[in-house]
Amino acid sequence: MKKSFNKSPSRSELRRQREREQRFLSILDAAENLFAKNGYHHTSMEEVADLAEVSVGTVYFYFKNKEDLISQMLEKIGFQLRNLLGREFDHADGSIEGFKRAGILFFEEFCLNHPQKVAILFRESAGQSNRLEEHRKEIFEKLIQDVQNALIRVGDNLKVSYQSPFSPEVMAVSIMGMYERIAYQYLIWQNRPDDLQIIGRDAVDFI
């Protein structure tokens, strides 16, 4: 009886895999740039291909259509934001100061360093289709759950109880809503990135 062995990928196969991943990310980055600058509806797949320096056929090889493109982009941005906040929540270990640092990170690390992602998350992906709206809902529900869990840990750490079982959820929804509105107001509507550091810290202190 022959033994079967799992064959390791060759160097050329690994290189082709890296090249595919790089093309995928290049297309996402190009689309993010164009969607944030020109708007989702005013950007064509041809323009995305041109900026990514690939053929239109290559774009369609990775993405079914423009909706699929922004959907996968949204998933990537949501993951990056949850990962950023999650690391701080874990590091904070249930302290109030740690919870505040997570809020400051949202403004100073995510918003200031990635204004295009803010535009995609809060503006360009909103109200496009039922499928995309459902996807946005899932991402925001995960973010709210992360904040809610962090609030519960803060309560447990301080040995205090909330007024009702729904209090951490209501607080998490309110906090995420405020952060979203502040980012939208000062980055997208008023384009005041120079003021956002102070505004963000004031918002965190207020909460």
Side-chain angles (χ1 to χ4, degrees):
M1 181 178 178
K2 280 187 175 182
K3 290 184 179 179
S4 60
F5 297 95
N6 291 325
K7 185 180 177 182
S8 299
S10 66
R11 287 178 179 270
S12 61
E13 288 172 331
L14 290 172
R15 188 192 71 247
R16 285 195 295 271
Q17 181 179 345
R18 287 194 302 270
E19 289 171 350
R20 286 194 296 269
E21 290 172 353
Q22 186 56 50
R23 279 194 295 271
F24 175 81
L25 292 175
S26 295
I27 294 168
L28 278 181
D29 288 344
E32 181 182 299
N33 184 301
L34 291 168
F35 289 170
K37 181 181 178 182
N38 303 329
Y40 172 75
H41 287 296
H42 293 94
T43 299
S44 67
M45 295 291 262
E46 287 78 11
E47 289 171 318
V48 172
D50 182 62
L51 187 60
E53 298 181 342
V54 298
S55 69
V56 178
T58 298
V59 176
Y60 280 108
F61 174 80
Y62 289 99
F63 306 97
K64 296 176 187 177
N65 48 42
K66 196 162 66 167
E67 182 185 64
D68 183 41
L69 176 51
I70 196 172
S71 180
Q72 294 199 48
M73 185 189 306
L74 191 61
E75 185 69 31
K76 180 171 175 271
I77 293 170
F79 175 80
Q80 290 171 331
L81 179 54
R82 290 188 68 211
N83 193 42
L84 174 71
L85 297 181
R87 284 200 309 268
E88 190 55 47
F89 287 148
D90 290 341
H91 180 69
D93 197 26
S95 72
I96 292 255
E97 285 303 312
F99 191 83
K100 288 175 65 176
R101 283 197 305 271
I104 291 170
L105 273 179
F106 170 76
F107 292 109
E108 297 183 5
E109 294 293 326
F110 182 72
C111 293
L112 284 178
N113 292 334
H114 306 288
Q116 293 177 334
K117 298 184 191 302
V118 172
I120 299 299
L121 187 62
F122 298 140
R123 185 187 68 196
E124 294 306 319
S125 62
Q128 301 297 350
S129 69
N130 291 335
R131 175 176 172 268
L132 195 57
E133 197 59 33
E134 190 62 31
H135 196 180
R136 290 182 81 249
K137 177 184 172 185
E138 290 173 3
I139 290 171
F140 278 99
E141 283 180 342
K142 289 175 183 177
L143 284 166
I144 289 167
Q145 185 66 57
D146 292 343
V147 176
Q148 180 180 341
N149 289 339
L151 286 167
I152 292 171
R153 287 174 62 188
V154 169
D156 291 343
N157 186 52
L158 297 178
K159 295 180 172 53
V160 297
S161 58
Y162 292 100
Q163 288 186 343
S164 87
F166 298 107
S167 293
E169 180 183 354
V170 171
M171 292 171 67
V173 169
S174 301
I175 290 169
M176 282 305 304
M178 290 176 66
Y179 284 1
E180 176 186 356
R181 178 47 50 191
I182 291 167
Y184 205 109
Q185 178 82 12
Y186 295 106
L187 271 185
I188 298 174
W189 277 357
Q190 296 185 9
N191 191 25
R192 292 168 57 187
D194 293 342
D195 298 328
L196 194 64
Q197 182 175 11
I198 296 173
I199 290 168
R201 287 179 179 261
D202 282 348
V204 170
D205 286 341
F206 172 78
I207 289 170

